[in-house]
Amino acid sequence: AWLFSTQVDAIAIEWLQINVPPSTSSFLSVSYSEEYNVVATAQSGIGSTIVRSVDNGLTWVLSTYSDGTFGFIYDIASKTVSSTTYYLGVDDSGTVYKSTDKGITWTTAAVITAFSGFSVSIGSNGVAYVAGSGYKVFSSSSTSGYATWTSKSVTGITPLSNFFDVSTFDGVNAVSYTHLRAHETGRNL
């Protein structure tokens, strides 16, 4: 598994390979917080590993999960809301993981039944979205500690596949999906 980092200077952008823990096999998602903290999820054996770095990827530390072993986490996101930085991850069994200590320790925030999560995004207002199997999108808020998730309606599509990405920014929300015969992106929630 490899991760790359870059710093922008006045002349060019150069991507450099950075060190990663030896227990990781393939990275699926990386989130960089406003606190200069990097959290990444990687597949490792029977589930995922979450690793974190506070020095822009020079060194990495394994995160811990209070309930044992992580599922297969497809995506992680981070956002600072009212002076608390939230980290959320979503896995293939609908488990939403949460950390509020810079990714050091993780807990189960919620489990969304009959759902495989592929993407998570947190807005600056604290509203988060997860998207995944069966064209499903759910939302939650930092005010509930991301414990309660509500199904959101997405219109104008035929539910034949899955949503693979969700993004939110100050109330503007978008999802992308793959149709069985065509690819469309950018539906508004």
Side-chain angles (χ1 to χ4, degrees):
W2 297 279
L3 284 178
F4 294 87
S5 175
T6 186
Q7 294 182 349
V8 179
D9 61 25
I11 300 170
I13 299 175
E14 181 181 11
W15 289 88
L16 301 171
Q17 185 174 342
I18 55 179
N19 297 322
V20 294
S23 63
T24 56
S25 61
S26 62
F27 285 96
L28 293 178
S29 182
V30 176
S31 182
Y32 190 82
S33 75
E34 292 96 337
E35 302 170 319
Y36 306 104
N37 191 40
V38 184
V39 177
T41 180
Q43 299 307 306
S44 60
I46 60 169
S48 292
T49 298
I50 294 181
V51 293
R52 59 184 286 276
S53 174
V54 295
D55 57 11
N56 291 320
L58 293 177
T59 60
W60 293 88
V61 177
L62 291 171
S63 297
T64 60
Y65 175 45
S66 64
D67 295 334
T69 304
F70 290 108
F72 286 101
I73 301 171
Y74 285 102
D75 196 21
I76 54 176
S78 62
K79 184 63 73 176
T80 301
V81 180
S82 300
S83 75
T84 299
T85 300
Y86 292 95
Y87 296 84
L88 296 178
V90 63
D91 76 9
D92 61 344
S93 69
T95 301
V96 179
Y97 303 94
K98 177 179 79 170
S99 176
T100 56
D101 62 2
K102 301 181 181 180
I104 297 169
T105 58
W106 293 76
T107 60
T108 298
V111 177
I112 303 170
T113 57
F115 177 72
S116 291
F118 299 132
S119 182
V120 59
S121 182
I122 310 169
S124 59
N125 59 359
V127 176
Y129 293 89
V130 295
S133 62
Y135 285 124
K136 293 178 185 173
V137 176
F138 295 87
S139 70
S140 186
S141 175
S142 59
T143 57
S144 76
Y146 301 106
T148 305
W149 292 81
T150 304
S151 179
K152 303 301 285 183
S153 174
V154 180
T155 59
I157 57 171
T158 304
L160 298 174
S161 190
N162 302 311
F163 285 129
F164 289 103
D165 192 29
V166 63
S167 182
T168 183
F169 180 77
D170 293 334
V172 177
N173 312 301
V175 293
S176 69
Y177 65 95
T178 301
H179 193 280
L180 290 179
R181 290 171 288 205
H183 182 75
E184 300 177 48
T185 59
R187 294 292 180 170
N188 199 18
L189 303 178

